[in-house]
Amino acid sequence: MEVLELFLSAVLAAAFCLSPSLVHAQDQSGFISIDCGITEGSSYNDKITGIRYISDENYTDAGVNKNISPKINTTGIDKQYLNLRSFPDGNKICYTLKPLRSKNKYLIRAGFLYGNYDELDDVPKFDLYLGVNWWETVTLTDASTPFTTEIVHLLSSDSIDICLVNTGFGTPFISVLELRLLDDRTHSNVSQLVVGRVGCGLALSHLIRFSVDVYDRIWSPFRLQDWEVKQTSYAIESPDDDKYGVPSAIMQGAAVPINQSDPIVLPITRDDPTTQVFLYLHFAEIENLPENQTREFNIYVNNKLWRGPIVPQYLQRTTVSSITALEGSEITVSIEKTINSTLPPLINAIELYLVRKLLQAETYEDDVHAVMNIKSYYKVKRYWQGDPCGPKTARWQGLNCSYDAYDPPRITSLDLSSSGLTGEISPDIFNLKMIQYLDLSNNSLRGSIPDFLSHLPYLRVLNLSENELSGSVPSELNERSKNGTLILNVEKNKLLCSSDCKNKAIVPVVATVIPVVILVLIAVSIFWFCKRRNQDTNSGGVNEHTRAPKLNERHFSYSEVLTITTNFGTILGEGQFARVYHGYVDRTQVAVKIFSPSVAQAYKQFSDDAKLLTRVHHRNLVTCFGYCDEDSNRALIFEHMINGNLEHILLDRNANILSWQERLQIAKDVAQGLQYLHDGCRPPIIHGNLKPTNILLNENFQAKLADFGLSKILTIEGSTREYIDPEYYVTSKLTERSDVYSFGVVLLAIIASRPVIDGDQEQAHIIQWASTLLGRGDIKGIVDSRLQGDYLLDSVWKAVELAMACASRASIKRPAMTQVVMALNHCLAMEISRVDRSEGTIEMVSVNFGTGVVPQAR
Ligand SMILES: *[C@@H]1O[C@H](CO)[C@@H](O)[C@H](O)[C@H]1NC(C)=O
Ligand SMILES: *[C@@H]1O[C@H](CO)[C@@H](O)[C@H](O)[C@H]1NC(C)=O
Ligand SMILES: *[C@@H]1O[C@H](CO)[C@@H](O)[C@H](O)[C@H]1NC(C)=O
Ligand SMILES: *[C@@H]1O[C@H](CO)[C@@H](O)[C@H](O)[C@H]1NC(C)=O
Ligand SMILES: *[C@@H]1O[C@H](CO)[C@@H](O)[C@H](O)[C@H]1NC(C)=O
Ligand SMILES: *[C@@H]1O[C@H](CO)[C@@H](O)[C@H](O)[C@H]1NC(C)=O
Ligand SMILES: *[C@@H]1O[C@H](CO)[C@@H](O)[C@H](O)[C@H]1NC(C)=O
Ligand SMILES: *[C@@H]1O[C@H](CO)[C@@H](O)[C@H](O)[C@H]1NC(C)=O
Ligand SMILES: *[C@@H]1O[C@H](CO)[C@@H](O)[C@H](O)[C@H]1NC(C)=O
Ligand SMILES: *[C@@H]1O[C@H](CO)[C@@H](O)[C@H](O)[C@H]1NC(C)=O
């Protein structure tokens, strides 16, 4: 019972600062201290802590200021809790904090006191989020008991959103929000919820925070029944180069067991036993021991020696901490004196943190950027705050998104109907590449219907009815509407020509975004084109024809081919249909592919294919500089790739072993090449013959695809059976998804460095082999053993799962290359930030040190 009382008093004290400490003019430069619900201009310095609190008016324009009920406003309540901001509207409200120093570790603390501010006597319950990840459910016990929660978090960008989410159990509100810069070295980079920060010898109801603690951590008293307290009035020194900064005032008291032979036992129980724990124990001898006395102890975790022997030094702090998180269904910490020790163990202070992985990814950056622009362009009057898609339960009203495990969510639907929009159709909509459903009906939009809407590949529903749009409907939209691939509604636009306009007025060019201009230009100028990608175009608006004029679309004579190859001097390789020779054009090394005369004769559309090839430019596709088409001499001139083909690198045991990251990078290069062929070219190009020998590497080991865009006949005949889509044998048709299948096989080969068909194995094909191992959960058995475990297992899991999904027998189960690229990006990011990801937060659910432990944050 005593213990329980102590617990309650500590919790109360956490919010109602009972212990005035001397107010020094201390540095608060790493602090943001917001008293929510006070007006701009009523900033103040707290009388007890000296901390300067400011209004939240600059952080949010939502919500209303409220005071707690006068009945509850009794003396002893901290000023920050007397008023609050309540948010009756909007399902998610965010405070965006921008500390001076980004990418540092911060303590973030939020406090709530309902105080019956609305006189409804109905305590609300709602969720608190850190960005898109759940931080805590705010669960208030009654109107007059505050709730505080703290998290240690490494900022990954220059700002952080703290969001209140209405979960249907009452109106969210907040009383106080604090951000404190910590010493970066103190904690692991994983986010951690503070569940206990206690001084074992602190006087009861004595609470310590700023300015005694320069980081404004709140320390509360804690002790167990079988402990006695010892105190000293002398200051306790910190070690040199101290990173914990535990104030001397905390260390000046210590607890020892009443029974001198007992250990100090701290059983840590958690609701979710898989939650990892970080523990910090602080010791200092506070008795000046005579010569014949010693205090020496060991620390055991679950009966296994963890640290020790430890001999605390007189008036000097020693800190013992977990470098890696502790785990296990039960964690019992026991501090026991050694045989030689004449005195029992002691403990001065304890810090306990819980880890929770922050797994939810933020919305795909390009989508966020686009929708933010749309929001500001139309001055959308909605509670659109924080991340558009996350958390899933509180995405922006009018949006829908795709959610796929670790991948960033993508915006798939935008409904801005009846929203009072004016102006033109925002060009930023074109950047919502995954959009399927777009409803802009019942607004006052003017101007014409932009062409780019017909280039949104996934658009299925387009509702532009009841606006003031003019001009004509782009013909491709009409066609898609007629053939049933698009539900189009353009009714009730008085100035709009119907689909078969006879006197088409000249449509004013409304597209202001460069990619749109390019699309339109190319669409009218040539039948077949590929989009330019922003990142490989410096000047933005360059047309295909004006790029690389020297080598582009160049027609070579046979005698030039002889010169280029110095009369076929050096052969690089030989295939079923052609030989490849080394050569030079200007001073650039090239590879010249000469078709065998019989193929050359049968290959009727050679010059069409060749012209087309010279127009395709992408950094993950081998460039075709030109061709020769003279009598029966047919040749293609390509960029020379110094590091040969991927098969050689994967299977040649003498080649350098590729690291996991390099493998992911190569896979991503290949995926991007395919994505471009599928989505960037119109009509799409099916590679049809993807295999490691067709993946070439340049001097930087950047991978590029070769052998695409040639006659289908050649492609299929020349293909290697084990990479071909099994559905091809049924349908005799190659589709984009056939390439995805081949990619899956190639990705497995990259992961495993194993031939696709291994004659020695029972499960001959790499897919069967991998799915057998996967069935046993033996992911390590799949990865090239030469990597010796030097990879992030999660990243490997994801890559293998991706490969298996790509290689699904049924083509509809295979992802599109865009999704593949995204997934690989994610694998790569995981691997790159392998060591200690900044992601992570906590499982809060109650944690206890056995019977008497103070989850101080509650
Ligand atoms: C709010 O912003 C205004 C204008 O930038 C500034 O003058 C004022 O000091 C800010 N107030 C607070 C409390 O930060
Ligand atoms: C709370 O009470 C104090 C005095 O007890 C008074 O000064 C203050 O204005 C009250 N605050 C609110 C929000 O009612
Ligand atoms: C101290 O603990 C030991 C071992 O548990 C026990 O035998 C002894 O009786 C205890 N002494 C007191 C005074 O409680
Ligand atoms: C230590 O020495 C003091 C006197 O110097 C004596 O009174 C005490 O009993 C001794 N304690 C032990 C544990 O030997
Ligand atoms: C105890 O002290 C003796 C004498 O100083 C020493 O030899 C022995 O190693 C110590 N034992 C332990 C477990 O520290
Ligand atoms: C959002 O999209 C998902 C998946 O496409 C769908 O199941 C769900 O019904 C949609 N929700 C709304 C509110 O449109
Ligand atoms: C169109 O919008 C107006 C207000 O903007 C609204 O009153 C009306 O109900 C909407 N009509 C439809 C069909 O949604
Ligand atoms: C388009 O919007 C109008 C007005 O908001 C609505 O009445 C109509 O049902 C919508 N049509 C489609 C196809 O969604
Ligand atoms: C429908 O028409 C569009 C635009 O012409 C075209 O791209 C698409 O392939 C057609 N789809 C079907 C199933 O015919
Ligand atoms: C923690 O993050 C910081 C900043 O991002 C980084 O410099 C540091 O290396 C990381 N520490 C570990 C152990 O990964």
Side-chain angles (χ1 to χ4, degrees), residues 250 273 299 367 427-428 470 595 624 627 661:
I250 309 293
I299 307 173
D367 284 6
D428 281 293
S470 52
F595 288 93
C624 178
Y627 63 97
Q661 187 178 328

Side-chain angles (χ1 to χ4, degrees), residues 66 154 229 231 297 336 349 409-410 497 592 745 762 803:
K66 294 283 181 183
L154 174 68
V229 166
Q231 273 159 337
F297 49 81
E336 299 173 18
R410 299 294 304 256
C497 269
V592 182
V745 180
E762 217 177 285

Side-chain angles (χ1 to χ4, degrees), residues 266 268 277-283 297-310 319-327 331-335 347 351:
L266 305 167
I268 301 170
V277 171
F278 278 102
L279 185 66
Y280 301 80
L281 302 174
H282 305 287
F283 304 99
F297 49 81
N298 288 317
I299 307 173
Y300 298 84
V301 172
N302 294 342
N303 298 322
K304 272 175 67 186
L305 182 64
W306 185 52
R307 300 283 193 280
I310 293 163
T319 292
V320 170
S321 68
S322 34
I323 295 159
T324 52
L326 301 176
E327 40 197 341
I331 300 175
T332 302
V333 178
S334 173
I335 307 174
I347 177 97
E351 290 176 76

Side-chain angles (χ1 to χ4, degrees), residues 392 395 399-403 412-413 436-437:
K392 194 173 177 177
R395 57 174 171 255
L399 289 195
N400 201 354
C401 308
S402 62
Y403 299 94
T412 56
S413 158
Q436 298 169 10
Y437 178 99

Side-chain angles (χ1 to χ4, degrees), residues 59 68 81 84 142 197 358 382 452 471 515 529 632 855 858:
Y59 293 92
I68 62 167
Y81 288 87
L84 53 94
D142 55 51
R197 196 187 292 111
L358 297 177
R382 288 190 190 175
F452 66 73
F529 70 95
S632 61
R858 290 243 171 193

Side-chain angles (χ1 to χ4, degrees), residues 325-624:
L326 301 176
E327 40 197 341
S329 55
E330 277 171 28
I331 300 175
T332 302
V333 178
S334 173
I335 307 174
E336 299 173 18
K337 67 175 204 168
T338 61
I339 303 167
N340 282 1
S341 181
T342 60
L343 295 169
L346 105 181
I347 177 97
N348 304 59
I350 305 169
E351 290 176 76
L352 178 67
Y353 301 85
L354 288 188
V355 171
R356 181 190 292 149
K357 309 269 186 215
L358 297 177
L359 292 176
Q360 176 63 55
E362 287 168 14
T363 304
Y364 189 71
E365 204 178 326
D366 292 356
D367 284 6
V368 175
H369 194 66
V371 79
M372 290 288 189
N373 286 348
I374 293 167
K375 178 187 170 185
S376 66
Y377 179 81
Y378 291 127
K379 304 188 174 64
V380 175
K381 290 175 203 67
R382 288 190 190 175
Y383 290 98
W384 275 12
Q385 304 207 345
D387 189 88
C389 297
K392 194 173 177 177
T393 51
R395 57 174 171 255
W396 290 3
Q397 187 208 339
L399 289 195
N400 201 354
C401 308
S402 62
Y403 299 94
D404 175 23
Y406 293 99
D407 292 334
R410 299 294 304 256
I411 295 172
T412 56
S413 158
L414 175 64
D415 179 354
L416 281 172
S417 59
S418 310
S419 301
L421 310 188
T422 56
E424 293 170 349
I425 293 179
S426 163
D428 281 293
I429 289 171
F430 183 58
N431 293 323
L432 295 174
K433 294 288 183 212
M434 302 300 282
I435 196 155
Q436 298 169 10
Y437 178 99
L438 178 63
D439 189 347
L440 300 174
S441 64
N442 196 20
N443 287 299
S444 308
L445 296 173
R446 289 167 180 273
S448 62
I449 300 177
D451 249 15
F452 66 73
L453 291 173
S454 48
H455 296 293
L456 288 167
Y458 301 99
L459 196 64
R460 300 283 169 269
V461 177
L462 176 61
N463 195 345
L464 300 174
S465 66
E466 298 182 52
N467 278 294
E468 291 154 34
L469 296 166
S470 52
S472 62
V473 180
S475 58
E476 213 176 316
L477 286 178
N478 269 327
E479 272 171 45
R480 287 179 60 183
S481 164
K482 277 188 196 131
N483 74 13
T485 55
L486 178 73
I487 297 170
L488 176 68
N489 187 347
V490 292
E491 288 165 5
K492 301 193 191 164
N493 283 284
K494 275 180 240 128
L495 302 171
L496 196 69
C497 269
S498 64
S499 51
D500 30 299
C501 277
K502 286 284 181 282
N503 347 329
K504 236 188 228 172
I506 292 167
V507 180
V509 177
V510 292
T512 52
V513 174
I514 286 160
V516 178
V517 174
I518 296 169
L519 277 174
V520 176
L521 273 181
I522 297 174
V524 296
S525 63
I526 56 170
F527 154 71
W528 191 96
F529 70 95
C530 293
K531 282 183 296 203
R532 288 232 69 81
R533 298 177 57 120
N534 293 344
Q535 61 258 45
D536 44 19
T537 313
N538 298 328
S539 52
V542 187
N543 189 304
E544 294 286 350
H545 296 287
T546 60
R547 244 176 86 101
K550 271 178 98 176
L551 290 168
N552 207 3
E553 243 189 305
R554 183 150 172 200
H555 188 252
F556 295 89
S557 67
Y558 187 64
S559 62
E560 281 173 313
V561 170
L562 289 174
T563 317
I564 290 168
T565 59
T566 22
N567 298 323
F568 305 124
T570 316
I571 188 163
L572 291 172
E574 179 159 14
Q576 208 177 339
F577 307 111
R579 281 186 176 168
V580 182
Y581 294 90
H582 183 262
Y584 285 95
V585 176
D586 300 336
R587 274 188 221 123
T588 308
Q589 289 193 63
V590 294
V592 182
K593 182 172 196 157
I594 313 275
F595 288 93
S596 73
S598 60
V599 170
Q601 257 173 5
Y603 194 170
K604 296 284 180 261
Q605 79 256 43
F606 172 78
S607 100
D608 286 346
D609 281 359
K611 279 179 191 152
L612 180 154
L613 271 182
T614 56
R615 292 209 195 99
V616 184
H617 294 283
H618 184 271
R619 65 197 141 85
N620 299 119
L621 300 176
V622 174
T623 303
C624 178

